[in-house]
Amino acid sequence: MAALIETKKLVKAYKSGDGVSTILKGIDFSVERGEFVSIMGRSGAGKSTLMYQMSLLDEPTSGDISIDGTNTRHMSEKEKAAFRLRKFGFVFQDYALMPELTATENIVLPLLMESYTFTQAQAMAADALTRVGLGHRLHNVPSQLSGGEQQRVSIARAIAEQPEILFADEPTANLDRESAKVVIDLFLELHAHGQTIIMVTHEEEYGHVADRIIRLDEGSIVSIEKGVRHAHARKQPTKKQSKK
Ligand SMILES: Nc1ncnc2c1ncn2[C@@H]1O[C@H](COP(=O)(O)OP(=O)(O)OP(=O)(O)O)[C@@H](O)[C@H]1O
Ligand SMILES: [Mg+2]
């Protein structure tokens, strides 16, 4: 079966002055359905750039991105936008909520711009907010919510349509430790229910909860590691081995 998302020889370069700076230098990588992958590396390594290419928010200079076996290279902007809406959910560091709208309205509005009725959108918003533990904050505007709660509203918005892939770029960067942990635990819970997640982070502690960690440096993959939960699971002897 095809990987859910696969990049082949992905290159992203920008013109800079009279030269060209190559930000992604040929990334070959794939993510399987149901996987939780974190993209790590120091500032400027190309993490966000890679996420933007994988999620079709930006166009690579060369190379291919296939989603569910479909090569996206020849898709029109319109087709890509439709793909993003239908298949992807996005979470960003700054929450990107509309300040004058309640938690519910922040989720309902984008759904109305698609083909959902008001009643459907309301139900989907309430359901998503309940899933992130904010069933009691449906009618608060962002200024009446903590940073962690605002991020959870943005996660609810991202999962309201049950996207195939949840992309998150530094979702914990603006949060204190306690709120960051709530967000990471929420991702783990979504993941346990089958959600595919691709998360960019520079925080080791949070990156390591993923199934796999891809580490970037200067636009190249320098390592692909198993996350700490899996590393621990492997270290424990199985019953069969311990009897020996
Ligand atoms: N539109 C652009 N034009 C020119 N250069 C860019 C553009 N976008 C990003 N870059 C450069 O690409 C490099 C990688 O940027 P990117 O945002 O992917 O890094 P990052 O790993 O996400 O870093 P951070 O941890 O700071 O968010 C940086 O050197 C950045 O200056
Ligand atoms: Mg970044």
Side-chain angles (χ1 to χ4, degrees), residues 131-167:
R131 283 182 77 194
V132 302
L134 289 178
H136 58 305
R137 292 279 188 273
L138 301 179
H139 306 297
N140 290 45
V141 294
S143 63
Q144 298 166 335
L145 296 167
S146 72
E149 288 172 334
Q150 291 182 53
Q151 188 58 301
R152 281 192 276 157
V153 174
S154 99
I155 295 168
R157 180 182 53 194
I159 62 170
E161 279 189 89
Q162 304 184 326
E164 291 197 27
I165 308 175
L166 179 62
F167 288 98

PDB file of all heavy atoms in Angstrom, residues 131-167:
ATOM      1  N   ARG A 131     -13.959  16.975  22.400  1.00  0.00           N
ATOM      2  CA  ARG A 131     -12.817  16.050  22.263  1.00  0.00           C
ATOM      3  C   ARG A 131     -11.529  16.634  22.825  1.00  0.00           C
ATOM      4  O   ARG A 131     -10.668  15.910  23.292  1.00  0.00           O
ATOM      5  CB  ARG A 131     -12.587  15.677  20.791  1.00  0.00           C
ATOM      6  CG  ARG A 131     -13.584  14.665  20.285  1.00  0.00           C
ATOM      7  CD  ARG A 131     -13.281  14.302  18.838  1.00  0.00           C
ATOM      8  NE  ARG A 131     -12.150  13.383  18.724  1.00  0.00           N
ATOM      9  CZ  ARG A 131     -11.516  13.124  17.580  1.00  0.00           C
ATOM     10  NH1 ARG A 131     -11.889  13.728  16.474  1.00  0.00           N
ATOM     11  NH2 ARG A 131     -10.516  12.290  17.555  1.00  0.00           N
ATOM     12  N   VAL A 132     -11.368  17.958  22.747  1.00  0.00           N
ATOM     13  CA  VAL A 132     -10.143  18.565  23.282  1.00  0.00           C
ATOM     14  C   VAL A 132     -10.326  19.032  24.732  1.00  0.00           C
ATOM     15  O   VAL A 132      -9.484  19.742  25.273  1.00  0.00           O
ATOM     16  CB  VAL A 132      -9.624  19.732  22.400  1.00  0.00           C
ATOM     17  CG1 VAL A 132      -9.362  19.274  20.979  1.00  0.00           C
ATOM     18  CG2 VAL A 132     -10.590  20.918  22.412  1.00  0.00           C
ATOM     19  N   GLY A 133     -11.454  18.641  25.336  1.00  0.00           N
ATOM     20  CA  GLY A 133     -11.671  18.964  26.751  1.00  0.00           C
ATOM     21  C   GLY A 133     -12.169  20.366  27.001  1.00  0.00           C
ATOM     22  O   GLY A 133     -12.007  20.910  28.095  1.00  0.00           O
ATOM     23  N   LEU A 134     -12.802  20.975  25.988  1.00  0.00           N
ATOM     24  CA  LEU A 134     -13.290  22.345  26.160  1.00  0.00           C
ATOM     25  C   LEU A 134     -14.813  22.434  26.009  1.00  0.00           C
ATOM     26  O   LEU A 134     -15.346  23.479  25.627  1.00  0.00           O
ATOM     27  CB  LEU A 134     -12.618  23.287  25.158  1.00  0.00           C
ATOM     28  CG  LEU A 134     -11.139  23.589  25.398  1.00  0.00           C
ATOM     29  CD1 LEU A 134     -10.597  24.503  24.308  1.00  0.00           C
ATOM     30  CD2 LEU A 134     -10.922  24.234  26.767  1.00  0.00           C
ATOM     31  N   GLY A 135     -15.493  21.352  26.346  1.00  0.00           N
ATOM     32  CA  GLY A 135     -16.950  21.329  26.262  1.00  0.00           C
ATOM     33  C   GLY A 135     -17.605  22.391  27.131  1.00  0.00           C
ATOM     34  O   GLY A 135     -18.742  22.793  26.888  1.00  0.00           O
ATOM     35  N   HIS A 136     -16.851  22.892  28.113  1.00  0.00           N
ATOM     36  CA  HIS A 136     -17.400  23.906  29.031  1.00  0.00           C
ATOM     37  C   HIS A 136     -16.978  25.325  28.631  1.00  0.00           C
ATOM     38  O   HIS A 136     -17.195  26.277  29.362  1.00  0.00           O
ATOM     39  CB  HIS A 136     -16.931  23.605  30.451  1.00  0.00           C
ATOM     40  CG  HIS A 136     -15.427  23.580  30.581  1.00  0.00           C
ATOM     41  ND1 HIS A 136     -14.626  22.774  29.796  1.00  0.00           N
ATOM     42  CD2 HIS A 136     -14.588  24.281  31.381  1.00  0.00           C
ATOM     43  CE1 HIS A 136     -13.359  22.980  30.114  1.00  0.00           C
ATOM     44  NE2 HIS A 136     -13.312  23.890  31.075  1.00  0.00           N
ATOM     45  N   ARG A 137     -16.326  25.472  27.486  1.00  0.00           N
ATOM     46  CA  ARG A 137     -15.821  26.791  27.071  1.00  0.00           C
ATOM     47  C   ARG A 137     -16.310  27.176  25.673  1.00  0.00           C
ATOM     48  O   ARG A 137     -15.686  27.965  24.990  1.00  0.00           O
ATOM     49  CB  ARG A 137     -14.284  26.784  27.043  1.00  0.00           C
ATOM     50  CG  ARG A 137     -13.614  26.662  28.388  1.00  0.00           C
ATOM     51  CD  ARG A 137     -13.567  28.009  29.090  1.00  0.00           C
ATOM     52  NE  ARG A 137     -12.774  27.952  30.301  1.00  0.00           N
ATOM     53  CZ  ARG A 137     -13.237  27.605  31.494  1.00  0.00           C
ATOM     54  NH1 ARG A 137     -14.515  27.262  31.624  1.00  0.00           N
ATOM     55  NH2 ARG A 137     -12.441  27.583  32.537  1.00  0.00           N
ATOM     56  N   LEU A 138     -17.461  26.605  25.302  1.00  0.00           N
ATOM     57  CA  LEU A 138     -17.935  26.757  23.920  1.00  0.00           C
ATOM     58  C   LEU A 138     -18.127  28.213  23.499  1.00  0.00           C
ATOM     59  O   LEU A 138     -17.916  28.565  22.349  1.00  0.00           O
ATOM     60  CB  LEU A 138     -19.270  26.014  23.728  1.00  0.00           C
ATOM     61  CG  LEU A 138     -19.277  24.514  24.007  1.00  0.00           C
ATOM     62  CD1 LEU A 138     -20.665  23.934  23.792  1.00  0.00           C
ATOM     63  CD2 LEU A 138     -18.257  23.803  23.126  1.00  0.00           C
ATOM     64  N   HIS A 139     -18.534  29.064  24.453  1.00  0.00           N
ATOM     65  CA  HIS A 139     -18.937  30.423  24.069  1.00  0.00           C
ATOM     66  C   HIS A 139     -17.966  31.494  24.535  1.00  0.00           C
ATOM     67  O   HIS A 139     -18.290  32.675  24.531  1.00  0.00           O
ATOM     68  CB  HIS A 139     -20.367  30.681  24.559  1.00  0.00           C
ATOM     69  CG  HIS A 139     -21.313  29.619  24.079  1.00  0.00           C
ATOM     70  ND1 HIS A 139     -21.569  29.406  22.732  1.00  0.00           N
ATOM     71  CD2 HIS A 139     -21.998  28.656  24.747  1.00  0.00           C
ATOM     72  CE1 HIS A 139     -22.392  28.372  22.607  1.00  0.00           C
ATOM     73  NE2 HIS A 139     -22.658  27.897  23.814  1.00  0.00           N
ATOM     74  N   ASN A 140     -16.770  31.087  24.955  1.00  0.00           N
ATOM     75  CA  ASN A 140     -15.756  32.077  25.335  1.00  0.00           C
ATOM     76  C   ASN A 140     -15.030  32.583  24.101  1.00  0.00           C
ATOM     77  O   ASN A 140     -14.720  31.807  23.196  1.00  0.00           O
ATOM     78  CB  ASN A 140     -14.719  31.436  26.265  1.00  0.00           C
ATOM     79  CG  ASN A 140     -15.268  31.124  27.634  1.00  0.00           C
ATOM     80  OD1 ASN A 140     -16.366  30.592  27.763  1.00  0.00           O
ATOM     81  ND2 ASN A 140     -14.518  31.461  28.661  1.00  0.00           N
ATOM     82  N   VAL A 141     -14.716  33.871  24.102  1.00  0.00           N
ATOM     83  CA  VAL A 141     -13.854  34.405  23.034  1.00  0.00           C
ATOM     84  C   VAL A 141     -12.403  34.173  23.464  1.00  0.00           C
ATOM     85  O   VAL A 141     -12.131  33.932  24.653  1.00  0.00           O
ATOM     86  CB  VAL A 141     -14.133  35.908  22.753  1.00  0.00           C
ATOM     87  CG1 VAL A 141     -15.529  36.089  22.183  1.00  0.00           C
ATOM     88  CG2 VAL A 141     -13.902  36.751  23.997  1.00  0.00           C
ATOM     89  N   PRO A 142     -11.448  34.218  22.524  1.00  0.00           N
ATOM     90  CA  PRO A 142     -10.057  33.896  22.858  1.00  0.00           C
ATOM     91  C   PRO A 142      -9.505  34.646  24.081  1.00  0.00           C
ATOM     92  O   PRO A 142      -8.799  34.053  24.903  1.00  0.00           O
ATOM     93  CB  PRO A 142      -9.293  34.256  21.580  1.00  0.00           C
ATOM     94  CG  PRO A 142     -10.285  33.971  20.499  1.00  0.00           C
ATOM     95  CD  PRO A 142     -11.608  34.401  21.056  1.00  0.00           C
ATOM     96  N   SER A 143      -9.854  35.935  24.233  1.00  0.00           N
ATOM     97  CA  SER A 143      -9.309  36.681  25.379  1.00  0.00           C
ATOM     98  C   SER A 143      -9.813  36.138  26.716  1.00  0.00           C
ATOM     99  O   SER A 143      -9.264  36.452  27.767  1.00  0.00           O
ATOM    100  CB  SER A 143      -9.633  38.165  25.247  1.00  0.00           C
ATOM    101  OG  SER A 143     -11.034  38.350  25.284  1.00  0.00           O
ATOM    102  N   GLN A 144     -10.867  35.339  26.674  1.00  0.00           N
ATOM    103  CA  GLN A 144     -11.380  34.726  27.906  1.00  0.00           C
ATOM    104  C   GLN A 144     -10.853  33.301  28.083  1.00  0.00           C
ATOM    105  O   GLN A 144     -11.365  32.540  28.900  1.00  0.00           O
ATOM    106  CB  GLN A 144     -12.920  34.684  27.870  1.00  0.00           C
ATOM    107  CG  GLN A 144     -13.556  36.067  27.801  1.00  0.00           C
ATOM    108  CD  GLN A 144     -15.028  35.994  27.437  1.00  0.00           C
ATOM    109  OE1 GLN A 144     -15.482  35.035  26.804  1.00  0.00           O
ATOM    110  NE2 GLN A 144     -15.791  37.015  27.810  1.00  0.00           N
ATOM    111  N   LEU A 145      -9.828  32.963  27.310  1.00  0.00           N
ATOM    112  CA  LEU A 145      -9.243  31.615  27.403  1.00  0.00           C
ATOM    113  C   LEU A 145      -7.748  31.741  27.658  1.00  0.00           C
ATOM    114  O   LEU A 145      -7.113  32.706  27.217  1.00  0.00           O
ATOM    115  CB  LEU A 145      -9.457  30.859  26.087  1.00  0.00           C
ATOM    116  CG  LEU A 145     -10.903  30.563  25.675  1.00  0.00           C
ATOM    117  CD1 LEU A 145     -10.956  30.096  24.216  1.00  0.00           C
ATOM    118  CD2 LEU A 145     -11.517  29.513  26.587  1.00  0.00           C
ATOM    119  N   SER A 146      -7.175  30.745  28.336  1.00  0.00           N
ATOM    120  CA  SER A 146      -5.716  30.742  28.535  1.00  0.00           C
ATOM    121  C   SER A 146      -5.043  30.387  27.204  1.00  0.00           C
ATOM    122  O   SER A 146      -5.700  29.914  26.264  1.00  0.00           O
ATOM    123  CB  SER A 146      -5.339  29.701  29.592  1.00  0.00           C
ATOM    124  OG  SER A 146      -5.496  28.397  29.061  1.00  0.00           O
ATOM    125  N   GLY A 147      -3.735  30.591  27.127  1.00  0.00           N
ATOM    126  CA  GLY A 147      -2.996  30.233  25.915  1.00  0.00           C
ATOM    127  C   GLY A 147      -3.189  28.767  25.556  1.00  0.00           C
ATOM    128  O   GLY A 147      -3.420  28.418  24.395  1.00  0.00           O
ATOM    129  N   GLY A 148      -3.107  27.917  26.559  1.00  0.00           N
ATOM    130  CA  GLY A 148      -3.270  26.478  26.324  1.00  0.00           C
ATOM    131  C   GLY A 148      -4.665  26.157  25.801  1.00  0.00           C
ATOM    132  O   GLY A 148      -4.832  25.318  24.915  1.00  0.00           O
ATOM    133  N   GLU A 149      -5.665  26.856  26.372  1.00  0.00           N
ATOM    134  CA  GLU A 149      -7.039  26.626  25.910  1.00  0.00           C
ATOM    135  C   GLU A 149      -7.212  27.136  24.476  1.00  0.00           C
ATOM    136  O   GLU A 149      -7.884  26.497  23.661  1.00  0.00           O
ATOM    137  CB  GLU A 149      -8.036  27.313  26.853  1.00  0.00           C
ATOM    138  CG  GLU A 149      -8.161  26.604  28.197  1.00  0.00           C
ATOM    139  CD  GLU A 149      -8.987  27.374  29.216  1.00  0.00           C
ATOM    140  OE1 GLU A 149      -9.072  28.622  29.113  1.00  0.00           O
ATOM    141  OE2 GLU A 149      -9.531  26.736  30.143  1.00  0.00           O
ATOM    142  N   GLN A 150      -6.601  28.278  24.169  1.00  0.00           N
ATOM    143  CA  GLN A 150      -6.692  28.801  22.795  1.00  0.00           C
ATOM    144  C   GLN A 150      -6.065  27.814  21.810  1.00  0.00           C
ATOM    145  O   GLN A 150      -6.587  27.574  20.728  1.00  0.00           O
ATOM    146  CB  GLN A 150      -5.985  30.149  22.690  1.00  0.00           C
ATOM    147  CG  GLN A 150      -6.708  31.261  23.429  1.00  0.00           C
ATOM    148  CD  GLN A 150      -6.009  32.603  23.255  1.00  0.00           C
ATOM    149  OE1 GLN A 150      -5.734  33.035  22.140  1.00  0.00           O
ATOM    150  NE2 GLN A 150      -5.712  33.263  24.348  1.00  0.00           N
ATOM    151  N   GLN A 151      -4.940  27.224  22.223  1.00  0.00           N
ATOM    152  CA  GLN A 151      -4.314  26.254  21.331  1.00  0.00           C
ATOM    153  C   GLN A 151      -5.214  25.040  21.168  1.00  0.00           C
ATOM    154  O   GLN A 151      -5.290  24.463  20.080  1.00  0.00           O
ATOM    155  CB  GLN A 151      -2.916  25.864  21.833  1.00  0.00           C
ATOM    156  CG  GLN A 151      -2.105  25.011  20.863  1.00  0.00           C
ATOM    157  CD  GLN A 151      -1.890  25.650  19.506  1.00  0.00           C
ATOM    158  OE1 GLN A 151      -2.847  25.973  18.789  1.00  0.00           O
ATOM    159  NE2 GLN A 151      -0.636  25.862  19.136  1.00  0.00           N
ATOM    160  N   ARG A 152      -5.928  24.675  22.237  1.00  0.00           N
ATOM    161  CA  ARG A 152      -6.824  23.527  22.111  1.00  0.00           C
ATOM    162  C   ARG A 152      -8.008  23.848  21.186  1.00  0.00           C
ATOM    163  O   ARG A 152      -8.500  22.974  20.477  1.00  0.00           O
ATOM    164  CB  ARG A 152      -7.296  23.059  23.490  1.00  0.00           C
ATOM    165  CG  ARG A 152      -6.208  22.228  24.174  1.00  0.00           C
ATOM    166  CD  ARG A 152      -6.738  21.519  25.387  1.00  0.00           C
ATOM    167  NE  ARG A 152      -6.735  22.378  26.558  1.00  0.00           N
ATOM    168  CZ  ARG A 152      -7.532  22.195  27.618  1.00  0.00           C
ATOM    169  NH1 ARG A 152      -8.408  21.219  27.627  1.00  0.00           N
ATOM    170  NH2 ARG A 152      -7.447  23.019  28.647  1.00  0.00           N
ATOM    171  N   VAL A 153      -8.464  25.111  21.187  1.00  0.00           N
ATOM    172  CA  VAL A 153      -9.509  25.506  20.229  1.00  0.00           C
ATOM    173  C   VAL A 153      -8.971  25.353  18.805  1.00  0.00           C
ATOM    174  O   VAL A 153      -9.648  24.835  17.916  1.00  0.00           O
ATOM    175  CB  VAL A 153      -9.974  26.972  20.458  1.00  0.00           C
ATOM    176  CG1 VAL A 153     -10.953  27.398  19.352  1.00  0.00           C
ATOM    177  CG2 VAL A 153     -10.627  27.132  21.828  1.00  0.00           C
ATOM    178  N   SER A 154      -7.715  25.768  18.606  1.00  0.00           N
ATOM    179  CA  SER A 154      -7.164  25.662  17.247  1.00  0.00           C
ATOM    180  C   SER A 154      -6.996  24.189  16.851  1.00  0.00           C
ATOM    181  O   SER A 154      -7.157  23.834  15.686  1.00  0.00           O
ATOM    182  CB  SER A 154      -5.878  26.483  17.110  1.00  0.00           C
ATOM    183  OG  SER A 154      -4.743  25.687  17.232  1.00  0.00           O
ATOM    184  N   ILE A 155      -6.711  23.339  17.829  1.00  0.00           N
ATOM    185  CA  ILE A 155      -6.628  21.897  17.530  1.00  0.00           C
ATOM    186  C   ILE A 155      -8.032  21.361  17.199  1.00  0.00           C
ATOM    187  O   ILE A 155      -8.207  20.584  16.258  1.00  0.00           O
ATOM    188  CB  ILE A 155      -5.984  21.122  18.701  1.00  0.00           C
ATOM    189  CG1 ILE A 155      -4.522  21.552  18.871  1.00  0.00           C
ATOM    190  CG2 ILE A 155      -6.077  19.608  18.475  1.00  0.00           C
ATOM    191  CD1 ILE A 155      -3.868  21.078  20.155  1.00  0.00           C
ATOM    192  N   ALA A 156      -9.032  21.825  17.974  1.00  0.00           N
ATOM    193  CA  ALA A 156     -10.412  21.401  17.691  1.00  0.00           C
ATOM    194  C   ALA A 156     -10.810  21.811  16.275  1.00  0.00           C
ATOM    195  O   ALA A 156     -11.427  21.040  15.534  1.00  0.00           O
ATOM    196  CB  ALA A 156     -11.369  22.012  18.714  1.00  0.00           C
ATOM    197  N   ARG A 157     -10.428  23.022  15.876  1.00  0.00           N
ATOM    198  CA  ARG A 157     -10.732  23.486  14.523  1.00  0.00           C
ATOM    199  C   ARG A 157     -10.041  22.577  13.488  1.00  0.00           C
ATOM    200  O   ARG A 157     -10.622  22.211  12.472  1.00  0.00           O
ATOM    201  CB  ARG A 157     -10.268  24.932  14.353  1.00  0.00           C
ATOM    202  CG  ARG A 157     -10.553  25.511  12.965  1.00  0.00           C
ATOM    203  CD  ARG A 157     -10.035  26.933  12.845  1.00  0.00           C
ATOM    204  NE  ARG A 157      -8.623  27.011  13.226  1.00  0.00           N
ATOM    205  CZ  ARG A 157      -7.972  28.142  13.470  1.00  0.00           C
ATOM    206  NH1 ARG A 157      -8.590  29.298  13.397  1.00  0.00           N
ATOM    207  NH2 ARG A 157      -6.699  28.119  13.804  1.00  0.00           N
ATOM    208  N   ALA A 158      -8.806  22.201  13.808  1.00  0.00           N
ATOM    209  CA  ALA A 158      -8.038  21.378  12.864  1.00  0.00           C
ATOM    210  C   ALA A 158      -8.614  19.969  12.711  1.00  0.00           C
ATOM    211  O   ALA A 158      -8.500  19.361  11.650  1.00  0.00           O
ATOM    212  CB  ALA A 158      -6.575  21.302  13.305  1.00  0.00           C
ATOM    213  N   ILE A 159      -9.223  19.437  13.778  1.00  0.00           N
ATOM    214  CA  ILE A 159      -9.706  18.046  13.708  1.00  0.00           C
ATOM    215  C   ILE A 159     -11.203  17.933  13.444  1.00  0.00           C
ATOM    216  O   ILE A 159     -11.728  16.830  13.313  1.00  0.00           O
ATOM    217  CB  ILE A 159      -9.372  17.244  14.999  1.00  0.00           C
ATOM    218  CG1 ILE A 159     -10.047  17.867  16.220  1.00  0.00           C
ATOM    219  CG2 ILE A 159      -7.843  17.139  15.188  1.00  0.00           C
ATOM    220  CD1 ILE A 159      -9.971  17.008  17.481  1.00  0.00           C
ATOM    221  N   ALA A 160     -11.889  19.092  13.352  1.00  0.00           N
ATOM    222  CA  ALA A 160     -13.354  19.069  13.236  1.00  0.00           C
ATOM    223  C   ALA A 160     -13.834  18.238  12.050  1.00  0.00           C
ATOM    224  O   ALA A 160     -14.871  17.593  12.115  1.00  0.00           O
ATOM    225  CB  ALA A 160     -13.905  20.491  13.143  1.00  0.00           C
ATOM    226  N   GLU A 161     -13.064  18.259  10.977  1.00  0.00           N
ATOM    227  CA  GLU A 161     -13.474  17.505   9.786  1.00  0.00           C
ATOM    228  C   GLU A 161     -12.776  16.162   9.679  1.00  0.00           C
ATOM    229  O   GLU A 161     -12.769  15.552   8.604  1.00  0.00           O
ATOM    230  CB  GLU A 161     -13.155  18.318   8.528  1.00  0.00           C
ATOM    231  CG  GLU A 161     -14.187  19.355   8.222  1.00  0.00           C
ATOM    232  CD  GLU A 161     -13.910  19.948   6.860  1.00  0.00           C
ATOM    233  OE1 GLU A 161     -14.420  19.405   5.858  1.00  0.00           O
ATOM    234  OE2 GLU A 161     -13.154  20.930   6.802  1.00  0.00           O
ATOM    235  N   GLN A 162     -12.177  15.718  10.767  1.00  0.00           N
ATOM    236  CA  GLN A 162     -11.474  14.446  10.795  1.00  0.00           C
ATOM    237  C   GLN A 162     -10.478  14.333   9.638  1.00  0.00           C
ATOM    238  O   GLN A 162     -10.623  13.497   8.749  1.00  0.00           O
ATOM    239  CB  GLN A 162     -12.472  13.295  10.794  1.00  0.00           C
ATOM    240  CG  GLN A 162     -13.424  13.474  11.968  1.00  0.00           C
ATOM    241  CD  GLN A 162     -14.414  12.355  12.135  1.00  0.00           C
ATOM    242  OE1 GLN A 162     -14.875  11.755  11.174  1.00  0.00           O
ATOM    243  NE2 GLN A 162     -14.753  12.078  13.370  1.00  0.00           N
ATOM    244  N   PRO A 163      -9.460  15.184   9.661  1.00  0.00           N
ATOM    245  CA  PRO A 163      -8.501  15.207   8.563  1.00  0.00           C
ATOM    246  C   PRO A 163      -7.661  13.931   8.526  1.00  0.00           C
ATOM    247  O   PRO A 163      -7.498  13.272   9.554  1.00  0.00           O
ATOM    248  CB  PRO A 163      -7.602  16.393   8.921  1.00  0.00           C
ATOM    249  CG  PRO A 163      -7.641  16.448  10.412  1.00  0.00           C
ATOM    250  CD  PRO A 163      -9.052  16.061  10.771  1.00  0.00           C
ATOM    251  N   GLU A 164      -7.141  13.608   7.360  1.00  0.00           N
ATOM    252  CA  GLU A 164      -6.264  12.438   7.277  1.00  0.00           C
ATOM    253  C   GLU A 164      -4.939  12.721   7.952  1.00  0.00           C
ATOM    254  O   GLU A 164      -4.333  11.838   8.541  1.00  0.00           O
ATOM    255  CB  GLU A 164      -6.051  12.056   5.810  1.00  0.00           C
ATOM    256  CG  GLU A 164      -7.338  11.521   5.221  1.00  0.00           C
ATOM    257  CD  GLU A 164      -7.116  10.757   3.943  1.00  0.00           C
ATOM    258  OE1 GLU A 164      -6.018  10.208   3.754  1.00  0.00           O
ATOM    259  OE2 GLU A 164      -8.057  10.727   3.145  1.00  0.00           O
ATOM    260  N   ILE A 165      -4.464  13.971   7.823  1.00  0.00           N
ATOM    261  CA  ILE A 165      -3.193  14.318   8.467  1.00  0.00           C
ATOM    262  C   ILE A 165      -3.358  15.609   9.256  1.00  0.00           C
ATOM    263  O   ILE A 165      -3.911  16.589   8.753  1.00  0.00           O
ATOM    264  CB  ILE A 165      -2.067  14.531   7.423  1.00  0.00           C
ATOM    265  CG1 ILE A 165      -1.973  13.347   6.473  1.00  0.00           C
ATOM    266  CG2 ILE A 165      -0.726  14.757   8.126  1.00  0.00           C
ATOM    267  CD1 ILE A 165      -0.964  13.531   5.348  1.00  0.00           C
ATOM    268  N   LEU A 166      -2.865  15.574  10.492  1.00  0.00           N
ATOM    269  CA  LEU A 166      -2.818  16.784  11.306  1.00  0.00           C
ATOM    270  C   LEU A 166      -1.386  17.307  11.274  1.00  0.00           C
ATOM    271  O   LEU A 166      -0.457  16.604  11.691  1.00  0.00           O
ATOM    272  CB  LEU A 166      -3.235  16.437  12.737  1.00  0.00           C
ATOM    273  CG  LEU A 166      -3.223  17.573  13.756  1.00  0.00           C
ATOM    274  CD1 LEU A 166      -4.200  18.674  13.363  1.00  0.00           C
ATOM    275  CD2 LEU A 166      -3.579  17.041  15.145  1.00  0.00           C
ATOM    276  N   PHE A 167      -1.202  18.519  10.737  1.00  0.00           N
ATOM    277  CA  PHE A 167       0.113  19.149  10.697  1.00  0.00           C
ATOM    278  C   PHE A 167       0.189  20.185  11.810  1.00  0.00           C
ATOM    279  O   PHE A 167      -0.731  21.008  11.956  1.00  0.00           O
ATOM    280  CB  PHE A 167       0.319  19.888   9.363  1.00  0.00           C
ATOM    281  CG  PHE A 167       0.518  18.993   8.182  1.00  0.00           C
ATOM    282  CD1 PHE A 167      -0.528  18.691   7.327  1.00  0.00           C
ATOM    283  CD2 PHE A 167       1.780  18.461   7.917  1.00  0.00           C
ATOM    284  CE1 PHE A 167      -0.334  17.871   6.221  1.00  0.00           C
ATOM    285  CE2 PHE A 167       1.993  17.642   6.810  1.00  0.00           C
ATOM    286  CZ  PHE A 167       0.931  17.343   5.963  1.00  0.00           C
TER     287      PHE A 167
END
